[in-house]
Amino acid sequence: MTRPDMLAAATASREPWDLVVIGGGATGLGIAVDSAARGYRTLLLEQHDFAKGTSSRSTKLIHGGVRYLQQGNVGLVLEALRERGLLTQNAPHLVGHLSFIVPNYTWWEAPFYGVGLKIYDLLAGKLGLGPSKHLSREETLQRLPTLEPEGLKGGIIYYDGQFDDARLAVTLAQTAADHGATLLNYAPVVALVKKSDLVRGVVARDAETGREFEAAARVVINATGVFTDSVRRLDEPEAEPLVTVSQGVHIVLPKSFLPGDSAIMVPKTDDGRVLFAIPWHGRALIGTTDTPVAEAELEPRALPEEIDFLLTHAARYLSKDPRREDVLSVFAGLRPLRKTDGTGDTASVPRDHGVLVSKSGLVTITGGKWTTYRKMAEDTVNQAATVGEIDERPCITNSLRLHGWQNPPTSPGLLQCFGSDAEKLRELTASQPDLAAPLHAALPVTAAEIVWAARHEMARTVEDALARRTRALLLDARASAEAAPRAAGLMARELGRDEAWQHEQVRAYRALAKDYVLNPHS
Ligand SMILES: Cc1cc2nc3c(=O)[nH]c(=O)nc-3n(C[C@H](O)[C@H](O)[C@H](O)COP(=O)(O)OP(=O)(O)OC[C@H]3O[C@@H](n4cnc5c(N)ncnc54)[C@H](O)[C@@H]3O)c2cc1C
């Protein structure tokens, strides 16, 4: 999968595509996989990099959503649990099982959450990952040695799925490409092409050269997350907004704050939010917040009060209080929620999805979550085939193995996400041993992964390689900024870039990484 090949395919096609998908996050990439696997001619266009938006900034859980159960949304939980089971089968190299413990500090929490989690087990049925059960105070502390012991009565353990969101995104892109789709990053759609008032294609810009090109389509799909309404306005300038935006922030701490393999799940903080502390790639991920925001942007920033909330609440549940200087990285993501009646309370907005067809035939998919991307794609492609009058073909993604499928996964650590490709990475380091060294002493990322990302995964910038193909930016933002010159050198060699490019890349990356670092004194 290389960008020059993809660009050539995108611009050379004289025949209309069956489907053109706008947006390369979880939703758009899932649609590209579904569509290509049905044998439809598929083009996906992403304005920045794959998963640059929300899809690289999640809590990284493939879950039914215990809290939707609290909200009484049984249908959504059932669907998500089914999807969790399917994805575990179709991408075992990317989705792991994780134990979560709900700590109990009052007498009523054990029976209350115990019953809720039994219902969760029942809903998962055959695809369950293991039964929930009560833990004594001692058993709870054994699994979570850094949990606040004062007042602890016990806990309830249950199981859910965990993944690496940006790695799943690139795996979906590769899976779609394996099935013949054309996918292009750095290609914003700037206009829709209409014939007799019907949307019949798009105008996109190759952001690397500035050149615009037209792509004709039987049907165009808007899968742009928090940017849904701006694309809808290319079709109908007066279109009513469909999406509301809510920001969620995470902080990343050293593993010493959460040693062991279990996560903490607090179903309800004192102000009614869900809080997770999760072991992830050898770090502890703490999140999240739910803050309504007015404007969608690609690089949202954590608000000081969101960081305070996370630090204060983490301190409440951890025996050692995290301080600002302990934070390795802080990142914010924007939830594209389907608009309801405007009560302003985004925490209670349902996370299910909807497909809408405008008068012009533009198909828009809104809402959903990472866990349900496959079902969202199935529903969207079914609808799109009808709108585009494309011959109906059944969806096959229920059992479609994703690129690199390997069961059981054989590679240790972060390389597990590469599945069967990890072997090729090992061959690369065998032929060039200097690539085996870590990029930086504080980062579990090798030089080989950067070369691989540029060569095979369409990474075009240092940010693509350090923020999404590897997760260096989230694992230690400061260390990743120090590693940027080495990454730029490796990528320049792969992509045929000069020294000026490298300087500019390092400058741009460091400017970005600054916003992921917490200043101890601010
Ligand atoms: C804090 C947080 C935590 C979450 N945690 C979880 C979780 O643990 N589990 C879970 O299942 N879900 C979770 N979610 C939800 C999940 O991350 C989102 O539902 C999902 O990533 C949305 O994907 P998307 O493709 O719709 O949007 P995006 O990932 O934002 O993708 C849309 C893409 O469209 C592109 N685009 C926009 N305009 C154009 C244009 N004109 N031309 C071309 N491209 C364009 C954008 O650049 C962007 O890449 C979480 C969300 C947040 C914010």
Side-chain angles (χ1 to χ4, degrees), residues 22-28 45-49 51-55 57-63 163 187-189 223-227 231 246 248-250 288 298 333-336 367-371:
I22 313 175
T27 310
L45 299 162
E46 161 56 48
Q47 65 176 348
H48 191 277
D49 184 30
K52 162 71 178 177
T54 308
S55 296
R57 301 155 186 275
S58 77
T59 311
K60 290 123 187 48
L61 299 179
I62 295 297
H63 60 163
F163 75 130
V189 166
T224 53
V226 291
F227 302 97
V231 171
S246 147
V249 167
H250 291 86
T288 176
L298 267 181
L334 300 180
R335 298 181 186 85
K369 50 189 203 150
W370 245 121
T371 306

Tab-separated table of all heavy atoms in Angstrom, residues 22-28 45-49 51-55 57-63 163 187-189 223-227 231 246 248-250 288 298 333-336 367-371, ligand 1:
chain	number	residue	atom	x	y	z
A	22	ILE	N	-16.082	9.666	1.941
A	22	ILE	CA	-15.340	10.826	2.447
A	22	ILE	C	-15.075	10.584	3.929
A	22	ILE	O	-16.014	10.430	4.720
A	22	ILE	CB	-16.132	12.144	2.277
A	22	ILE	CG1	-16.724	12.254	0.872
A	22	ILE	CG2	-15.259	13.342	2.590
A	22	ILE	CD1	-17.634	13.477	0.674
A	23	GLY	N	-13.810	10.564	4.327
A	23	GLY	CA	-13.456	10.386	5.743
A	23	GLY	C	-12.756	9.070	5.996
A	23	GLY	O	-13.291	8.006	5.670
A	24	GLY	N	-11.561	9.142	6.568
A	24	GLY	CA	-10.753	7.938	6.821
A	24	GLY	C	-10.554	7.693	8.299
A	24	GLY	O	-9.447	7.443	8.753
A	25	GLY	N	-11.657	7.763	9.086
A	25	GLY	CA	-11.628	7.319	10.481
A	25	GLY	C	-12.236	5.921	10.544
A	25	GLY	O	-12.393	5.239	9.511
A	26	ALA	N	-12.602	5.496	11.758
A	26	ALA	CA	-13.171	4.168	11.948
A	26	ALA	C	-14.353	3.941	11.002
A	26	ALA	O	-14.470	2.880	10.364
A	26	ALA	CB	-13.643	4.017	13.397
A	27	THR	N	-15.227	4.938	10.910
A	27	THR	CA	-16.470	4.774	10.146
A	27	THR	C	-16.185	4.618	8.651
A	27	THR	O	-16.642	3.660	8.018
A	27	THR	CB	-17.399	5.974	10.402
A	27	THR	OG1	-17.510	6.162	11.811
A	27	THR	CG2	-18.770	5.763	9.806
A	28	GLY	N	-15.426	5.558	8.094
A	28	GLY	CA	-15.142	5.515	6.652
A	28	GLY	C	-14.315	4.289	6.274
A	28	GLY	O	-14.585	3.632	5.258
A	45	LEU	N	-11.396	8.892	0.539
A	45	LEU	CA	-10.564	10.097	0.573
A	45	LEU	C	-10.542	10.661	1.987
A	45	LEU	O	-11.594	10.880	2.598
A	45	LEU	CB	-11.137	11.141	-0.395
A	45	LEU	CG	-11.170	10.674	-1.860
A	45	LEU	CD1	-12.118	11.533	-2.682
A	45	LEU	CD2	-9.760	10.683	-2.456
A	46	GLU	N	-9.348	10.881	2.509
A	46	GLU	CA	-9.178	11.410	3.870
A	46	GLU	C	-8.411	12.728	3.777
A	46	GLU	O	-7.360	12.789	3.128
A	46	GLU	CB	-8.434	10.386	4.738
A	46	GLU	CG	-7.798	10.923	6.006
A	46	GLU	CD	-8.775	11.642	6.951
A	46	GLU	OE1	-9.857	11.106	7.233
A	46	GLU	OE2	-8.426	12.769	7.392
A	47	GLN	N	-8.906	13.758	4.460
A	47	GLN	CA	-8.295	15.079	4.295
A	47	GLN	C	-6.896	15.184	4.925
A	47	GLN	O	-6.049	15.944	4.462
A	47	GLN	CB	-9.180	16.169	4.894
A	47	GLN	CG	-9.349	16.074	6.403
A	47	GLN	CD	-10.159	17.208	6.994
A	47	GLN	OE1	-10.424	18.192	6.329
A	47	GLN	NE2	-10.542	17.094	8.243
A	48	HIS	N	-6.642	14.430	5.979
A	48	HIS	CA	-5.342	14.482	6.660
A	48	HIS	C	-4.806	13.063	6.623
A	48	HIS	O	-4.758	12.447	5.572
A	48	HIS	CB	-5.565	15.032	8.088
A	48	HIS	CG	-4.312	15.398	8.811
A	48	HIS	ND1	-3.557	14.477	9.478
A	48	HIS	CD2	-3.686	16.597	8.987
A	48	HIS	CE1	-2.508	15.070	10.035
A	48	HIS	NE2	-2.556	16.367	9.752
A	49	ASP	N	-4.453	12.496	7.772
A	49	ASP	CA	-3.988	11.112	7.776
A	49	ASP	C	-5.118	10.213	8.268
A	49	ASP	O	-6.003	10.668	9.008
A	49	ASP	CB	-2.779	10.991	8.711
A	49	ASP	CG	-2.164	9.600	8.698
A	49	ASP	OD1	-2.247	8.931	7.655
A	49	ASP	OD2	-1.616	9.182	9.731
A	51	ALA	N	-7.271	8.176	10.563
A	51	ALA	CA	-7.457	8.221	12.022
A	51	ALA	C	-6.839	9.444	12.693
A	51	ALA	O	-6.619	9.453	13.895
A	51	ALA	CB	-6.933	6.945	12.694
A	52	LYS	N	-6.576	10.488	11.917
A	52	LYS	CA	-6.066	11.725	12.533
A	52	LYS	C	-7.098	12.298	13.525
A	52	LYS	O	-6.749	12.900	14.540
A	52	LYS	CB	-5.777	12.750	11.441
A	52	LYS	CG	-5.662	14.203	11.913
A	52	LYS	CD	-4.398	14.453	12.709
A	52	LYS	CE	-4.298	15.932	13.116
A	52	LYS	NZ	-3.123	16.210	13.941
A	53	GLY	N	-8.364	12.103	13.214
A	53	GLY	CA	-9.425	12.703	14.050
A	53	GLY	C	-9.701	11.857	15.286
A	53	GLY	O	-8.792	11.306	15.922
A	54	THR	N	-10.964	11.706	15.600
A	54	THR	CA	-11.409	11.013	16.807
A	54	THR	C	-10.848	9.596	16.919
A	54	THR	O	-10.575	9.110	18.016
A	54	THR	CB	-12.948	10.954	16.788
A	54	THR	OG1	-13.436	12.277	16.578
A	54	THR	CG2	-13.498	10.416	18.084
A	55	SER	N	-10.680	8.944	15.776
A	55	SER	CA	-10.405	7.505	15.799
A	55	SER	C	-9.034	7.112	16.328
A	55	SER	O	-8.755	5.928	16.498
A	55	SER	CB	-10.628	6.911	14.403
A	55	SER	OG	-11.992	7.059	14.062
A	57	ARG	N	-8.030	8.743	19.188
A	57	ARG	CA	-8.034	9.434	20.485
A	57	ARG	C	-9.055	8.834	21.448
A	57	ARG	O	-9.559	9.517	22.326
A	57	ARG	CB	-8.356	10.918	20.248
A	57	ARG	CG	-7.371	11.605	19.324
A	57	ARG	CD	-8.005	12.802	18.634
A	57	ARG	NE	-7.114	13.389	17.644
A	57	ARG	CZ	-6.182	14.268	17.906
A	57	ARG	NH1	-6.016	14.696	19.140
A	57	ARG	NH2	-5.414	14.745	16.954
A	58	SER	N	-9.386	7.571	21.247
A	58	SER	CA	-10.426	6.936	22.064
A	58	SER	C	-9.833	6.352	23.341
A	58	SER	O	-8.614	6.425	23.565
A	58	SER	CB	-11.111	5.833	21.260
A	58	SER	OG	-10.295	4.689	21.214
A	59	THR	N	-10.690	5.726	24.157
A	59	THR	CA	-10.233	5.038	25.378
A	59	THR	C	-9.666	3.660	25.028
A	59	THR	O	-9.132	2.976	25.881
A	59	THR	CB	-11.412	4.915	26.379
A	59	THR	OG1	-12.024	6.204	26.501
A	59	THR	CG2	-10.960	4.493	27.760
A	60	LYS	N	-9.783	3.277	23.791
A	60	LYS	CA	-9.204	2.043	23.256
A	60	LYS	C	-9.856	0.784	23.830
A	60	LYS	O	-9.203	-0.220	24.121
A	60	LYS	CB	-7.672	2.033	23.460
A	60	LYS	CG	-6.959	3.063	22.565
A	60	LYS	CD	-6.156	4.020	23.401
A	60	LYS	CE	-5.519	5.195	22.747
A	60	LYS	NZ	-6.214	6.059	21.851
A	61	LEU	N	-11.178	0.861	23.970
A	61	LEU	CA	-11.939	-0.286	24.453
A	61	LEU	C	-12.892	-0.779	23.374
A	61	LEU	O	-13.546	0.029	22.693
A	61	LEU	CB	-12.756	0.100	25.690
A	61	LEU	CG	-11.942	0.574	26.883
A	61	LEU	CD1	-12.862	0.944	28.040
A	61	LEU	CD2	-10.949	-0.496	27.314
A	62	ILE	N	-12.930	-2.100	23.217
A	62	ILE	CA	-13.946	-2.719	22.381
A	62	ILE	C	-14.928	-3.285	23.389
A	62	ILE	O	-14.689	-4.329	23.993
A	62	ILE	CB	-13.328	-3.813	21.486
A	62	ILE	CG1	-12.341	-3.187	20.494
A	62	ILE	CG2	-14.404	-4.594	20.736
A	62	ILE	CD1	-12.930	-2.201	19.497
A	63	HIS	N	-15.995	-2.549	23.624
A	63	HIS	CA	-16.837	-2.882	24.777
A	63	HIS	C	-18.321	-2.690	24.478
A	63	HIS	O	-18.702	-1.944	23.584
A	63	HIS	CB	-16.430	-2.027	25.992
A	63	HIS	CG	-16.559	-0.545	25.787
A	63	HIS	ND1	-16.571	0.352	26.824
A	63	HIS	CD2	-16.678	0.204	24.669
A	63	HIS	CE1	-16.692	1.566	26.360
A	63	HIS	NE2	-16.763	1.510	25.066
A	163	PHE	N	-7.929	-2.488	22.582
A	163	PHE	CA	-7.237	-2.481	21.286
A	163	PHE	C	-6.393	-1.228	21.142
A	163	PHE	O	-6.339	-0.400	22.051
A	163	PHE	CB	-8.262	-2.600	20.147
A	163	PHE	CG	-9.070	-1.329	19.850
A	163	PHE	CD1	-9.178	-0.835	18.555
A	163	PHE	CD2	-9.737	-0.645	20.855
A	163	PHE	CE1	-9.922	0.298	18.267
A	163	PHE	CE2	-10.490	0.495	20.583
A	163	PHE	CZ	-10.575	0.963	19.280
A	187	ALA	N	-6.038	14.035	1.189
A	187	ALA	CA	-6.876	14.315	0.011
A	187	ALA	C	-8.243	14.842	0.460
A	187	ALA	O	-9.226	14.097	0.461
A	187	ALA	CB	-7.023	13.052	-0.827
A	188	PRO	N	-8.307	16.123	0.890
A	188	PRO	CA	-9.601	16.659	1.316
A	188	PRO	C	-10.599	16.751	0.155
A	188	PRO	O	-10.211	17.096	-0.967
A	188	PRO	CB	-9.255	18.062	1.833
A	188	PRO	CG	-7.946	18.404	1.197
A	188	PRO	CD	-7.219	17.102	0.993
A	189	VAL	N	-11.847	16.427	0.454
A	189	VAL	CA	-12.917	16.662	-0.527
A	189	VAL	C	-13.338	18.123	-0.364
A	189	VAL	O	-13.705	18.545	0.743
A	189	VAL	CB	-14.098	15.700	-0.282
A	189	VAL	CG1	-15.335	16.140	-1.042
A	189	VAL	CG2	-13.690	14.285	-0.678
A	223	ALA	N	-18.692	10.242	5.751
A	223	ALA	CA	-18.346	9.549	7.007
A	223	ALA	C	-17.289	10.378	7.721
A	223	ALA	O	-16.192	9.909	7.997
A	223	ALA	CB	-17.831	8.146	6.710
A	224	THR	N	-17.640	11.629	8.001
A	224	THR	CA	-16.614	12.568	8.452
A	224	THR	C	-16.723	12.935	9.928
A	224	THR	O	-16.185	13.957	10.363
A	224	THR	CB	-16.644	13.848	7.573
A	224	THR	OG1	-17.977	14.370	7.556
A	224	THR	CG2	-16.204	13.559	6.166
A	225	GLY	N	-17.402	12.117	10.711
A	225	GLY	CA	-17.395	12.303	12.166
A	225	GLY	C	-17.862	13.685	12.578
A	225	GLY	O	-18.940	14.141	12.183
A	226	VAL	N	-17.039	14.376	13.357
A	226	VAL	CA	-17.448	15.703	13.844
A	226	VAL	C	-17.534	16.738	12.716
A	226	VAL	O	-18.027	17.840	12.931
A	226	VAL	CB	-16.514	16.221	14.974
A	226	VAL	CG1	-16.688	15.402	16.238
A	226	VAL	CG2	-15.057	16.246	14.540
A	227	PHE	N	-17.046	16.366	11.510
A	227	PHE	CA	-17.116	17.312	10.380
A	227	PHE	C	-18.320	17.032	9.471
A	227	PHE	O	-18.445	17.625	8.400
A	227	PHE	CB	-15.817	17.246	9.562
A	227	PHE	CG	-14.601	17.552	10.389
A	227	PHE	CD1	-13.837	16.533	10.932
A	227	PHE	CD2	-14.240	18.860	10.661
A	227	PHE	CE1	-12.732	16.812	11.713
A	227	PHE	CE2	-13.138	19.152	11.450
A	227	PHE	CZ	-12.380	18.121	11.982
A	231	VAL	N	-19.545	18.847	5.573
A	231	VAL	CA	-19.669	18.160	4.272
A	231	VAL	C	-21.125	18.219	3.793
A	231	VAL	O	-21.396	18.424	2.608
A	231	VAL	CB	-19.143	16.704	4.375
A	231	VAL	CG1	-19.469	15.925	3.109
A	231	VAL	CG2	-17.644	16.702	4.623
A	246	SER	N	-18.684	16.484	21.619
A	246	SER	CA	-18.322	16.443	23.032
A	246	SER	C	-16.861	16.004	23.146
A	246	SER	O	-16.438	15.056	22.486
A	246	SER	CB	-19.232	15.437	23.738
A	246	SER	OG	-18.552	14.809	24.785
A	248	GLY	N	-13.484	14.543	24.953
A	248	GLY	CA	-13.029	13.613	25.996
A	248	GLY	C	-11.510	13.650	26.062
A	248	GLY	O	-10.838	13.565	25.030
A	249	VAL	N	-10.988	13.801	27.277
A	249	VAL	CA	-9.536	13.929	27.454
A	249	VAL	C	-9.012	12.714	28.216
A	249	VAL	O	-9.703	12.169	29.080
A	249	VAL	CB	-9.230	15.240	28.217
A	249	VAL	CG1	-7.796	15.293	28.707
A	249	VAL	CG2	-9.538	16.428	27.318
A	250	HIS	N	-7.793	12.299	27.880
A	250	HIS	CA	-7.094	11.241	28.633
A	250	HIS	C	-5.726	11.760	29.056
A	250	HIS	O	-5.124	12.555	28.327
A	250	HIS	CB	-6.856	10.011	27.756
A	250	HIS	CG	-8.096	9.274	27.392
A	250	HIS	ND1	-8.860	9.608	26.307
A	250	HIS	CD2	-8.711	8.219	27.974
A	250	HIS	CE1	-9.903	8.773	26.233
A	250	HIS	NE2	-9.832	7.928	27.236
A	288	THR	N	-12.279	9.334	31.135
A	288	THR	CA	-12.172	10.488	30.272
A	288	THR	C	-13.154	11.556	30.756
A	288	THR	O	-13.814	11.350	31.772
A	288	THR	CB	-12.444	10.102	28.796
A	288	THR	OG1	-12.419	11.256	27.962
A	288	THR	CG2	-13.716	9.375	28.610
A	298	LEU	N	-9.423	19.448	14.131
A	298	LEU	CA	-8.640	18.220	13.997
A	298	LEU	C	-7.688	18.002	15.166
A	298	LEU	O	-7.314	16.886	15.465
A	298	LEU	CB	-7.820	18.270	12.706
A	298	LEU	CG	-8.457	17.655	11.474
A	298	LEU	CD1	-7.520	17.760	10.280
A	298	LEU	CD2	-8.852	16.201	11.690
A	333	GLY	N	-9.986	14.123	22.373
A	333	GLY	CA	-10.698	13.653	21.189
A	333	GLY	C	-12.114	14.196	21.201
A	333	GLY	O	-12.644	14.544	22.263
A	334	LEU	N	-12.717	14.259	20.019
A	334	LEU	CA	-14.075	14.815	19.929
A	334	LEU	C	-15.060	13.724	19.530
A	334	LEU	O	-14.878	13.064	18.500
A	334	LEU	CB	-14.117	15.948	18.897
A	334	LEU	CG	-13.196	17.142	19.195
A	334	LEU	CD1	-13.330	18.190	18.092
A	334	LEU	CD2	-13.498	17.762	20.553
A	335	ARG	N	-16.108	13.543	20.340
A	335	ARG	CA	-17.129	12.536	20.026
A	335	ARG	C	-18.132	13.122	19.041
A	335	ARG	O	-18.698	14.189	19.311
A	335	ARG	CB	-17.903	12.139	21.281
A	335	ARG	CG	-17.066	11.505	22.352
A	335	ARG	CD	-17.919	11.123	23.562
A	335	ARG	NE	-17.069	10.632	24.634
A	335	ARG	CZ	-16.462	11.399	25.523
A	335	ARG	NH1	-16.635	12.698	25.501
A	335	ARG	NH2	-15.687	10.865	26.450
A	336	PRO	N	-18.362	12.428	17.920
A	336	PRO	CA	-19.410	12.898	17.007
A	336	PRO	C	-20.742	12.284	17.438
A	336	PRO	O	-21.038	11.148	17.101
A	336	PRO	CB	-18.956	12.339	15.651
A	336	PRO	CG	-18.148	11.107	15.987
A	336	PRO	CD	-17.666	11.234	17.405
A	367	GLY	N	-22.883	9.208	14.347
A	367	GLY	CA	-22.922	8.545	15.648
A	367	GLY	C	-22.075	7.285	15.683
A	367	GLY	O	-21.093	7.156	14.951
A	368	GLY	N	-22.478	6.333	16.528
A	368	GLY	CA	-21.765	5.068	16.651
A	368	GLY	C	-20.520	5.169	17.513
A	368	GLY	O	-20.285	6.184	18.174
A	369	LYS	N	-19.755	4.112	17.511
A	369	LYS	CA	-18.479	4.109	18.230
A	369	LYS	C	-17.537	3.120	17.565
A	369	LYS	O	-17.963	2.360	16.682
A	369	LYS	CB	-18.705	3.800	19.704
A	369	LYS	CG	-19.556	2.588	20.011
A	369	LYS	CD	-19.862	2.552	21.492
A	369	LYS	CE	-20.198	1.154	21.923
A	369	LYS	NZ	-19.836	0.871	23.289
A	370	TRP	N	-16.295	3.118	17.983
A	370	TRP	CA	-15.310	2.232	17.359
A	370	TRP	C	-15.825	0.789	17.370
A	370	TRP	O	-15.790	0.081	16.369
A	370	TRP	CB	-13.984	2.286	18.124
A	370	TRP	CG	-12.832	2.849	17.362
A	370	TRP	CD1	-12.084	3.931	17.698
A	370	TRP	CD2	-12.250	2.329	16.137
A	370	TRP	NE1	-11.078	4.130	16.763
A	370	TRP	CE2	-11.155	3.162	15.808
A	370	TRP	CE3	-12.544	1.260	15.289
A	370	TRP	CZ2	-10.358	2.944	14.669
A	370	TRP	CZ3	-11.761	1.046	14.146
A	370	TRP	CH2	-10.687	1.886	13.844
A	371	THR	N	-16.350	0.368	18.527
A	371	THR	CA	-16.762	-1.027	18.699
A	371	THR	C	-17.754	-1.465	17.621
A	371	THR	O	-17.739	-2.621	17.200
A	371	THR	CB	-17.413	-1.190	20.094
A	371	THR	OG1	-16.497	-0.703	21.066
A	371	THR	CG2	-17.762	-2.628	20.387
B	1	LIG	C1	-12.619	10.507	24.264
B	1	LIG	C2	-13.238	9.430	23.434
B	1	LIG	C3	-13.179	8.114	23.871
B	1	LIG	C4	-13.769	7.103	23.116
B	1	LIG	N1	-13.614	5.823	23.524
B	1	LIG	C5	-14.159	4.815	22.797
B	1	LIG	C6	-13.928	3.471	23.175
B	1	LIG	O1	-13.200	3.172	24.128
B	1	LIG	N2	-14.537	2.514	22.440
B	1	LIG	C7	-15.328	2.803	21.380
B	1	LIG	O2	-15.881	1.886	20.806
B	1	LIG	N3	-15.516	4.081	20.964
B	1	LIG	C8	-14.939	5.086	21.642
B	1	LIG	N4	-15.088	6.378	21.232
B	1	LIG	C9	-15.870	6.651	20.028
B	1	LIG	C10	-15.049	6.442	18.746
B	1	LIG	O3	-13.723	6.853	18.916
B	1	LIG	C11	-15.702	7.223	17.615
B	1	LIG	O4	-17.061	6.893	17.530
B	1	LIG	C12	-15.052	6.939	16.257
B	1	LIG	O5	-13.657	7.027	16.321
B	1	LIG	C13	-15.585	7.923	15.232
B	1	LIG	O6	-15.009	7.627	14.002
B	1	LIG	P1	-15.385	8.464	12.705
B	1	LIG	O7	-14.725	7.799	11.565
B	1	LIG	O8	-16.850	8.638	12.644
B	1	LIG	O9	-14.758	9.903	12.965
B	1	LIG	P2	-13.260	10.384	12.782
B	1	LIG	O10	-12.289	9.437	13.336
B	1	LIG	O11	-13.164	11.785	13.283
B	1	LIG	O12	-13.067	10.372	11.221
B	1	LIG	C14	-13.624	11.330	10.353
B	1	LIG	C15	-12.580	11.687	9.335
B	1	LIG	O13	-13.146	12.484	8.314
B	1	LIG	C16	-12.115	13.308	7.820
B	1	LIG	N5	-12.698	14.415	7.046
B	1	LIG	C17	-13.455	15.432	7.506
B	1	LIG	N6	-13.800	16.255	6.501
B	1	LIG	C18	-13.239	15.738	5.366
B	1	LIG	C19	-13.228	16.148	4.013
B	1	LIG	N7	-13.847	17.254	3.587
B	1	LIG	N8	-12.538	15.385	3.116
B	1	LIG	C20	-11.897	14.248	3.510
B	1	LIG	N9	-11.881	13.836	4.797
B	1	LIG	C21	-12.544	14.568	5.709
B	1	LIG	C22	-11.406	13.752	9.087
B	1	LIG	O14	-10.110	14.240	8.832
B	1	LIG	C23	-11.434	12.498	9.932
B	1	LIG	O15	-10.233	11.743	9.835
B	1	LIG	C24	-14.473	7.422	21.938
B	1	LIG	C25	-14.529	8.745	21.507
B	1	LIG	C26	-13.887	9.734	22.228
B	1	LIG	C27	-13.893	11.137	21.741
